[in-house]
Amino acid sequence: MKPVIGHVDAKSLWLRVSSVWLGVLLLTACTGEVNGVQEPRTSSSDHSVQTGRTLIADYGCGSCHSIPGIPGADAKAAPPLEQFYQRTYIAGQLPNTLDNLVLWIQNPQEVEPGTAMPNLGVTQIEARAMAAYLYHQPTLTELLSQ
Ligand code: HEC
């Protein structure tokens, strides 16, 4: 029995390692335009992206959402916000444009009365920075610092 158990362990370890690498490859491969999907709009060296990252952490968006690159943002109460530039709709309602994303972050209750996402008192400048973060492609360093 021993060699069989050993074999199974090695196999599942291999599966785990290879799926991690597949994940890394998928994350790094998504920089071009595929099937008409938009490219990430800003680079992570952009100042507003960094500000947005800090604001998203400070406002606790990660207490409901899982957001790549934001430390501790791994909640499952709300839709995950990864690769947001690829979404067609925001909350299934609004076309995914910068202005609409800013509107949603500031005032989800106006867009969709009664939604489980509360108005958090985010200013327009703050919402624009958060949108810049959500529209950028997280770097590997950001992902590893979660
Ligand atoms: C109390 C939980 C909660 C908090 C806190 C919260 N959200 Fe949400 N959020 C939700 C829920 C629930 C939805 C889904 C709403 C719907 O689709 O009707 C949502 C939807 C969204 C969407 C659209 C997602 C999609 O798949 O289209 C974005 C973008 C978003 N939230 C950003 C934020 C940001 C940025 C913050 C912090 C400022 C934040 N949320 C804080 C609960 C929350």
Side-chain angles (χ1 to χ4, degrees):
M1 286 308 282
K2 265 236 149 73
V4 174
I5 293 167
H7 176 70
V8 167
D9 278 350
K11 193 178 166 195
S12 64
L13 182 67
W14 163 245
L15 281 175
R16 225 173 300 150
V17 169
S18 54
S19 63
V20 165
W21 274 109
L22 184 62
V24 170
L25 284 176
L26 286 173
L27 283 165
T28 51
C30 296
T31 44
E33 192 169 320
V34 183
N35 297 331
V37 166
Q38 296 168 8
E39 280 191 72
R41 288 167 222 185
T42 50
S43 88
S44 55
S45 58
D46 189 317
H47 179 66
S48 60
V49 170
Q50 294 308 326
T51 309
R53 183 178 189 230
T54 308
L55 286 165
I56 286 173
D58 289 351
Y59 270 96
C61 313
S63 62
C64 292
H65 293 280
S66 114
I67 312 168
I70 306 289
D74 56 2
K76 302 285 183 287
L81 302 182
E82 88 268 330
Q83 295 179 345
F84 204 75
Y85 46 85
Q86 293 194 337
R87 296 288 179 84
T88 309
Y89 293 105
I90 299 165
Q93 310 247 349
L94 302 169
N96 186 6
T97 63
L98 173 64
D99 286 346
N100 281 341
L101 184 53
V102 168
L103 173 68
W104 173 266
I105 293 172
Q106 283 197 274
N107 202 345
Q109 293 296 325
E110 185 190 301
V111 177
E112 192 188 326
T115 178
M117 178 159 157
N119 286 4
L120 294 164
V122 179
T123 68
Q124 194 176 43
I125 291 169
E126 290 172 332
R128 289 189 92 83
M130 292 186 202
Y133 182 81
L134 292 178
Y135 283 145
H136 98 297
Q137 174 91 39
T139 62
L140 212 50
T141 320
E142 284 168 341
L143 292 174
L144 292 173
S145 73
Q146 288 191 77

